[in-house]
Each structure stands twice: as structure tokens, then as C-alpha cells.
Amino acid sequence: DVVTSRDVVTSLDVVTSREPLNLSKKYLTRLIHSDYMCALRELDISHNNITSLAGFTSLISLTSANLSNNKITSLEGLESCKHLTVLDASFNCITNSCGILACAKCRLQELSLEGNPLATSEVYPGCVVQCCSMLCKLDNREL
């Protein structure tokens, strides 16, 4: 089982499977013990109170992540997710391009950052495409 509380998720051996893990709307503020989730491919932690992706360093098999509607200020922590191809980080608190530099090491093909302060910048699309060279879709629009 995965034990959840208002501020923490503690993963147990069950999470070592490759099944998608949905932890949306659980009032989470952080992800810990992600070392038990190294085989995880799909993760949904949308609609929580996550502020940091520090617990993502062990998610080396992750291919898809829904991080939308949290309080994330930077995508730092995704550097280890080299197989990540789909990322929804919409409606968070990412304010500048430094917040997305971690995505350069991923194989992102689809990225959604709409609803972040960064997305209102004139240089936003060009900056993201330069950072994520394999990107085919940005904010649900084909490139």
C-alpha cells in the first residue's frame, strides 16, 4: 500500500510495479522515499500542494508525469528522468526560464506549462523549444 497523509507520501514495495500511480487530490506537499518507485513510468500528483520536485531524483523510468495545479516554482529535480516524454506542469508557480532548465536532460515531446507566470512572457515559446529540442507539442499545440 501507499500510505498518504495531509503532508507526505511514503511509498512501500507495492509501488515498485510499473503500473501508473495516481496520487492526485491527496493534499500532498512532498514526495519522499521515491527510491521505492524507480520502476514507475506514469505518475499523477496533480491538484496537491507540492512545491518542490526534490523527491524525483529516483524516478529514472518515468515517462509521463502530471504535476499540474500545484505550487511548483521550478522543474529542478527532473534531471534524472531521462525517459520523460510527457510532462504537464500547468498551473503552477514557475516564473522564469531557469525553472525549466532541468527539462533539457529529458526527452520531452509534450510539455504543458500554461497557467504559469512564465507562459505570459514573449520569449516563452522560443526559450522552451531551445531547451527541449525534441518537443512536438507545447501547451497542447503542435509545433
Side-chain angles (χ1 to χ4, degrees):
D1 282 313
V2 174
V3 179
T4 61
S5 72
R6 291 187 74 73
D7 23 53
V8 70
V9 170
T10 304
S11 56
L12 303 176
D13 292 327
V14 168
V15 185
T16 59
S17 77
R18 293 182 183 261
E19 295 296 314
L21 180 59
N22 186 342
L23 296 172
S24 64
K25 300 178 184 175
K26 302 286 185 194
Y27 304 102
L28 306 176
T29 59
R30 59 189 168 141
L31 187 69
I32 62 171
H33 299 300
S34 62
D35 47 319
Y36 290 104
M37 296 186 259
C38 62
L40 187 66
R41 291 189 179 185
E42 294 179 37
L43 176 64
D44 183 348
I45 56 169
S46 63
H47 299 274
N48 282 294
N49 293 308
I50 306 285
T51 57
S52 167
L53 302 179
F56 275 62
T57 54
S58 298
L59 303 180
I60 57 173
S61 300
L62 199 63
T63 60
S64 177
N66 184 348
L67 314 177
S68 65
N69 295 283
N70 278 287
K71 297 176 182 172
I72 298 165
T73 57
S74 170
L75 297 178
E76 188 176 339
L78 293 180
E79 299 89 348
S80 303
C81 304
K82 295 184 184 350
H83 300 287
L84 190 63
T85 58
V86 178
L87 175 61
D88 183 350
S90 59
F91 301 98
N92 276 287
C93 302
I94 301 168
T95 57
N96 59 50
S97 58
C98 293
I100 61 167
L101 290 177
C103 292
K105 296 191 177 188
C106 303
R107 296 180 181 164
L108 285 178
Q109 295 174 6
E110 296 181 30
L111 175 62
S112 182
L113 293 171
E114 66 183 319
N116 282 283
L118 169 67
T120 62
S121 166
E122 290 179 19
V123 296
Y124 161 68
C127 177
V128 172
V129 170
Q130 184 178 1
C131 182
C132 306
S133 60
M134 299 177 74
L135 206 59
C136 300
K137 229 179 191 181
L138 177 60
D139 296 334
N140 298 311
R141 293 183 187 99
E142 298 288 332
L143 296 177

